[in-house]
Structure formats: C-alpha cells, structure tokens
Amino acid sequence: MTQSASAVAANAIQYTITPIDLHAHLYQVVLNIPQPKAMQSLSLPVWIPGSYLVREFSKSLQGLGASQGGQLVDIQQQNKNTWVVDCSAGEPLTLSYQICAHDSSVRTAWLDSQRGFFNGTSVFLRVHGSEALLQVLHVDPPAQQPHWQLATGLTPAHTNPQGFGRYHASSYDELVDCPVEMGPFWSAEFTAHGVPHRFVVAGAPPSFDGARLIADTQKICETEIRLWHTRGKPPFERYVFMLNAMDDNYGGLEHKNSTALICSRRDLPRKGEAKASSGYITLLGLISHEYFHTWNVKRLRPMELASYDYEKENYTELLWFFEGFTSYYDDLVLRRAGLLDNNQYLKLLNKTINQVLQTPGRHVQSVAESSFDAWVKYYRQDENTPNATVSYYTKGSLVALCLDLSLRREGHAGLDQVMRALYRRCKAGPMREQDLLDVLDELTDRSWAADISAWVHGKLDLPVAALLQAHGVDCQPDTPQIAQQLGLRVAEGATGIAIKVVLRGGAAEAAGMMAGDEWLGIEPLQANTDSIGWRIHKLDDLPLYAGDAQQVLALVARDKRLLRLPLQLPPRAAAATPAKGRKKAPKAASKTDTVTLAVADVNRVNLWLDGR
C-alpha cells in the first residue's frame, strides 16, 4: 500500500463509493461533510465537460438520506438536481444515496458482473461552497468480485495492489475529471518522454494484440508531446487510457490526465495480422484525438469554460477550434508517427472533405454558430440536421487545414507554431478568438481577421482545393454514389430501403420523399413501352431496373399507405455504378459534392505532412 505524506485535511469532503449490487447496477455513495453550512445545498451536475448536452444525471440518483449527530435530518429538493439539507452549521453531516449505473457510454456510469465504470459528474453530489477543498475518494471493491482491479487518473493516497482504496483530488473539478475503471481488465504500461502511461482494455477477445496497441499508442503520445513541447515534458505526471471493447460501439471523452474510450472488438489489433485494418486505424485516430485534447481543450480552452458551471449549458463559439483543430491533427499525427502513409492519410482527409461538401447545412449555418448550438443541435440530430447544420468537427478540421496550408504557402512555419504560441500566450488556460488572431498577426506580420471571418463566421465553401493544389495534392470532381445524386441518406435491408434523410434541393425532395418512408420499388417511365414495376432492396439496383428511363415512379410506403412518387433521375445515375472494367462516364453535373484527392508532387506533400 501507499500512504500520502500528509494527513487528510480536517475539512476535506469525503466520498465512499461501493458497488453494492452488480445485477441491479447499483453503486452506494456515502458523502461526509465535516463542516457543513447551515441549510447546506448540494447538487449533481447536469452535464459533463467535453460532451455538450444536458444529460440530467440526477435521473439515476435514488434513496437520498442525511444524518447529523446520529439523527436523521430533512432534505428538501429545490429543483431537478439540487437539494438543501436542514442541518446545523459546523457539525459533521453524512449523506447516503444510490446511483443506478446502466449507461455503457464514456459519459456516465456502468456496473454489472463484468465491469464497473463511472465519471464523477454522474455519481458525486457537489457540496456548494466547498468545491475548492480537498476531495477524498474511497473506492471499495465489489464483494462478489474480489479479483477486480481499478484504474484512474486520481492521485492514490492509500490503495491496495489492485488499486482499490483512497484517492485525493485537489478540488471538485479534479475529482469529477478523473473517471474510474474497474474489473478484470488487460493492462500494460509504457513511457513517453519520461512520463509513465498506462493502458487498460476491458472486454478484449483472445485475438487481441496488446503489444501492438502499446507500441502504436506510444508513437502517438511521443509525436504529440513533441508537437506541443519542442523540449521538455508534458504537463502531467502520469496518464491513463481506459478502453472498453464492445460488440459494436465507438466514442471517447477527454480528461486532463486520462481518457475514456469505446471501440468495437473487431477494431482491436489482432495477433498475426501485419496490416492494420481500417477499424484499427479508426481506433488509433480516436486515441490520437483524445490525447491531443490533453492540451487543446483541457488546458488551452474557451474563455467561457474557464470555470465550469455544472448546472446549465456553457455556451461558446469556439468548438470549431477545440474540436475541429483537434480533428485535423488526429490523423495528421498518425501520419507523422509513421502509422499511415501519404495515400492512407489523404484517403481519410478525402472522406472529411466529402462529408462537408455533402452537407447542405454548411450554407445555412456557420461553424461558429454550429459551436454555439452544439447543446441543442449537434447532440440532438434528426432527419433535418444535414440540411440545417454543419459539424464543427469536420468543417472545423478543414478550417485548420486551410490555415495550415495558407501559412505554409506564404512561407511561414505552419499551424504547429501557432498552436505552441497560443499555448504560451494563454498560459495553458482560457483563450478567445482574438488570441488566435493576435498570434497569427505576430507570427506573420499581417492580419488574418478577414480569413477567419470568412472561414469561421461565413457560410461559403472553403478554398480547400486551391490550397491542396499548392501543396502537391490534386483535388478533382468525382461521381458521387447514387444516394448522394438523389439527395438521400438511407439504410438498406431485406424488405426495402429505409429513408433516413432527404437532403435539401435534391431529386428525392422534389419527388416528395421524406424521412421515414420505405422505398419498395420503381416503375420506369419510358415512351412506347409497357410500364413494368420492379422490387428494389438497394439503391445500386436503380440503374439496373431504370434502364434508359429519365423518370421513374417510386413506390413508397408511408404510414401504411402506398404512394407512387414521380422521381426525376439525375443524368449521372446510369454511370454511378459502372460495370467492372468500364470507365466512369464524364461528370455532367455543375455542382461538385464529391471529390477525389491524389498526390501530384510527393516532395511538397511530404513537406506539409512531415510538419517541415
């Protein structure tokens, strides 16, 4: 066991959390407040930093009770997540409650017979007025699973070899910024620039190649540390990756010295496989993204998030920078770390460019507006989302691309230098958009206000193609898939084609299709021929059964009614899926929403991708 050098402060807030019923998914939490205020207020956060949605964590809290001096005291609920305890000032107060932990995401809490996990925002009541005091956490192991281990970024004070015991946090903010993983997980350690890192994986299958994951993650960490600190160590003493491998899931959430990740088991590296699968590359990109957040949002962060208000939305227009620029660097770091080659990197960049081009909402909403609206739009997507919004992740990453390539075209060092200068200017703390403009002005001796205004606050397309061309990458129009030609996003199945999204201004919208329809078949409309109906199960069947027809009747089921909708086929539909060995037909449409990238000058490409 380890023991902290100093005794626990007399007024420290103390939490004890125990997994009391694995099958009922229940944690028991006991909160001791040595010196409460009279009528002490407490609340549970409604959101978790890094995930910009009010999630109402208090819905999982039950059985709240309080006692003082051995006597029960009354608790009055003030609103959805706040309580006031009718207690005396200065006399120790104890509260107890349970948390039902049945959310397997990285944002809340989970408990079953195989694994436990929680974020502090989901389980720890905030003691109003005591947030800056030392917070002590004691984690008990589940009685039914004595072999479990525990991993967290919290500072251990008195723990057993498996990791259970007492931890310290300097404040409530630090307490809830350190998630806890427990169970029979796989674990390994490595160092990056002299700093210890730990990687734990829950749910890994027997084929899992842990050695490869560790080697590749170490390359990512070392590359990012060098990017932010040309000399010296990173701003943390240790780091923990917590990965939960599931049948089919994906996600991550950043913290100051740790991250919680989810991936599909199929995406883990496998023993005996030399070539990285596309799923594994996606996982490495996620690791790179969340680790980059250690600097870009957890330290350098929006001024509006200088201190968190856990009770309501915290609005900022800067998510295009903090999420978008991080999204630009996540795959770029993989290329610099030697985990991708040029063609693999450009394929990923190509996908991002097409995602933005194929979003009509980019002309409706600026990426700054998208950042501000994250609370009500990005995390609450519906069938109209692509028509009304643009992602601050994808378009924000293209803003970073444009800025990086513009700097390089003008003879400057590039975006790396800007990020380091911002980090120094803002003292690894809160920043405003003006800080970025000031740094750009200082480094280049010119104003970038017009560029940032157009790219971030405007709604016109970014100069991606021209800037890529200047750095040795051809960006050519290409034939989109049939769904994009028609203006649809669908799910194909054995019974028909489920329409998920109808894009603004497309042929499907003109025909009267709508989200929720099931497209069952078509009747080609051709002169001098009998009308014959055809059943279709996938959009690739459309050219097969439409033939030379320029218009078909689409047979659609809506609310149990069968509708026959006149659908005008785009000129390129017949060429969207060419027979094997045949060349694609020439591009006839004037609108470009699909492009293909290719290396034209490998030397110029390498200068950019190597960060030289």
Side-chain angles (χ1 to χ4, degrees):
M1 292 187 179
T2 60
Q3 178 68 48
S4 61
S6 59
V8 176
N11 61 347
I13 306 301
Q14 301 176 42
Y15 300 85
T16 298
I17 186 167
T18 307
I20 59 167
D21 193 329
L22 306 185
H23 300 313
H25 320 291
L26 290 178
Y27 288 106
Q28 178 75 33
V29 181
V30 176
L31 167 57
N32 290 304
I33 310 172
Q35 299 176 20
K37 298 178 181 178
M39 304 299 291
Q40 178 67 60
S41 295
L42 307 103
S43 64
L44 196 66
V46 303
W47 70 290
I48 181 169
S51 184
Y52 306 99
L53 178 68
V54 171
R55 297 186 183 276
E56 312 294 19
F57 298 131
S58 59
K59 66 185 178 183
S60 299
L61 187 150
Q62 61 190 50
L64 179 62
S67 64
Q68 190 174 42
Q71 301 295 318
L72 296 178
V73 292
D74 290 337
I75 303 175
Q76 297 295 324
Q77 186 164 1
Q78 301 297 297
N79 53 42
K80 62 185 181 182
N81 71 313
T82 304
W83 294 263
V84 174
V85 183
D86 187 7
C87 62
S88 302
E91 183 180 349
L93 173 67
T94 299
L95 295 98
S96 64
Y97 55 94
Q98 296 175 349
I99 296 290
C100 184
H102 201 248
D103 183 339
S104 61
S105 77
V106 295
R107 298 176 294 266
T108 53
W110 173 264
L111 182 64
D112 69 359
S113 61
Q114 306 301 310
R115 172 179 177 260
F117 172 83
F118 61 83
N119 285 288
T121 45
S122 302
V123 298
F124 298 135
L125 286 170
R126 178 170 65 89
V127 182
H128 294 193
S130 298
E131 295 88 345
L133 298 177
L134 176 68
Q135 315 277 307
V136 176
L137 172 63
H138 190 98
V139 187
D140 290 326
Q144 308 96 316
Q145 302 285 10
H147 61 288
W148 275 17
Q149 307 172 75
L150 183 146
T152 181
L154 286 167
T155 301
H158 193 262
T159 59
N160 67 19
Q162 292 164 285
F164 289 93
R166 191 169 76 238
Y167 291 85
H168 288 179
S170 62
S171 65
Y172 183 81
D173 283 342
E174 182 181 335
L175 174 70
V176 299
D177 190 45
C178 294
V180 172
E181 174 79 30
M182 48 185 152
F185 48 69
W186 175 92
S187 177
E189 297 181 356
F190 65 91
T191 60
H193 285 256
V195 175
H197 290 61
R198 185 184 186 189
F199 208 126
V200 303
V201 181
S207 61
F208 169 52
D209 187 349
R212 181 170 188 177
L213 178 66
I214 290 299
D216 292 344
T217 301
Q218 184 179 34
K219 293 175 183 177
I220 291 169
C221 295
E222 290 177 341
T223 302
E224 293 191 5
I225 292 170
R226 284 194 301 269
L227 189 154
W228 285 99
H229 310 279
T230 54
R231 293 185 299 274
K233 292 185 177 182
F236 47 84
E237 296 180 356
R238 63 194 176 282
Y239 194 92
V240 183
F241 293 94
M242 290 167 272
L243 173 61
N244 181 27
M246 303 181 67
D247 178 60
D248 185 20
N249 210 332
Y250 176 84
L253 190 63
E254 68 276 2
H255 301 279
K256 245 185 174 182
N257 70 344
S258 63
T259 184
L261 309 165
I262 294 179
C263 77
S264 166
R265 292 189 186 96
R266 298 171 186 84
D267 294 342
L268 290 171
R270 303 182 191 183
K271 297 174 183 176
E273 290 190 355
K275 184 179 179 181
S277 67
S278 60
Y280 182 48
I281 290 174
T282 298
L283 171 58
L284 292 178
L286 177 65
I287 291 169
S288 176
H289 184 100
E290 302 304 337
Y291 194 69
F292 197 88
H293 271 318
T294 306
W295 293 268
N296 196 40
V297 87
K298 293 310 296 184
R299 287 172 174 82
L300 187 66
R301 60 191 185 275
M303 183 62 70
E304 297 87 347
L305 300 182
S307 60
Y308 300 121
D309 185 341
Y310 295 104
E311 306 302 305
K312 61 183 181 181
E313 298 87 343
N314 291 210
Y315 295 100
T316 177
E317 286 191 347
L318 285 174
L319 296 184
W320 59 268
F321 180 89
F322 291 99
E323 291 293 354
F325 279 43
T326 300
S327 296
Y328 172 61
Y329 272 107
D330 53 22
D331 290 333
L332 184 59
V333 164
L334 300 187
R335 161 60 181 75
R336 292 183 183 176
L339 300 172
L340 297 176
D341 61 28
N342 288 353
N343 289 330
Q344 289 174 308
Y345 173 75
L346 290 179
K347 183 178 180 180
L348 295 172
L349 177 60
N350 204 152
K351 180 180 178 180
T352 299
I353 293 171
N354 286 339
Q355 284 176 335
V356 175
L357 288 176
Q358 294 169 6
T359 302
R362 73 188 191 279
H363 294 312
V364 176
Q365 184 188 54
S366 74
V367 74
E369 293 170 338
S370 172
S371 300
F372 195 86
D373 284 339
W375 297 91
V376 294
K377 293 188 176 181
Y378 183 82
Y379 285 92
R380 299 183 186 277
Q381 298 194 16
D382 58 26
E383 67 279 354
N384 191 50
T385 294
N387 296 319
T389 70
V390 67
S391 167
Y392 50 78
Y393 284 90
T394 53
K395 187 176 180 182
S397 72
L398 296 186
V399 171
L401 170 72
C402 289
L403 183 54
D404 194 9
L405 298 186
S406 295
L407 287 163
R408 294 178 180 277
R409 185 173 62 176
E410 295 183 13
H412 306 294
L415 191 56
D416 295 0
Q417 185 181 9
V418 173
M419 301 301 286
R420 289 191 292 267
L422 258 177
Y423 194 79
R424 291 191 300 269
R425 174 189 177 88
C426 299
K427 297 180 173 60
M431 66 162 273
R432 299 182 174 89
E433 184 177 308
Q434 188 61 46
D435 291 308
L436 173 61
L437 295 174
D438 289 345
V439 165
L440 288 168
D441 194 343
E442 292 167 4
L443 293 178
T444 65
D445 200 28
R446 82 162 176 91
S447 173
W448 290 78
D451 305 84
I452 296 300
S453 178
W455 300 344
V456 172
H457 300 279
K459 301 168 187 175
L460 299 178
D461 286 335
L462 301 171
V464 171
L467 287 168
L468 285 172
Q469 188 73 45
H471 290 79
V473 179
D474 279 339
C475 183
Q476 296 296 328
D478 201 358
T479 302
Q481 297 296 314
I482 295 176
Q484 190 63 28
Q485 293 183 47
L486 295 174
L488 286 175
R489 295 184 183 176
V490 303
E492 298 172 333
T495 59
I497 300 167
I499 297 176
K500 300 298 184 182
V501 171
V502 178
L503 297 175
R504 189 70 70 241
E509 184 183 59
M513 290 182 172
M514 63 180 287
D517 286 351
E518 185 180 12
W519 190 355
L520 304 174
I522 63 166
E523 293 180 13
L525 298 179
Q526 295 172 292
N528 304 319
T529 61
D530 293 333
S531 177
I532 299 177
W534 297 93
R535 190 81 164 86
I536 62 173
H537 296 91
K538 53 186 179 179
L539 290 180
D540 284 349
D541 289 340
L542 190 57
L544 174 66
Y545 294 119
D548 295 329
Q550 295 302 304
Q551 190 179 57
V552 299
L553 288 176
L555 183 62
V556 168
R558 181 186 302 165
D559 191 28
K560 303 299 182 183
R561 299 178 181 179
L562 296 180
L563 307 178
R564 300 168 79 229
L565 306 178
L567 176 66
Q568 190 71 32
L569 298 181
R572 294 184 288 178
T577 312
K580 187 175 182 180
R582 288 174 51 192
K583 294 182 179 180
K584 292 182 179 179
K587 290 80 179 175
S590 59
K591 183 180 74 169
T592 299
D593 55 18
T594 303
V595 299
T596 296
L597 304 184
V599 175
D601 185 329
V602 67
N603 291 327
R604 282 189 290 171
V605 170
N606 284 335
L607 285 173
W608 158 40
L609 296 183
D610 289 339
R612 289 183 278 151

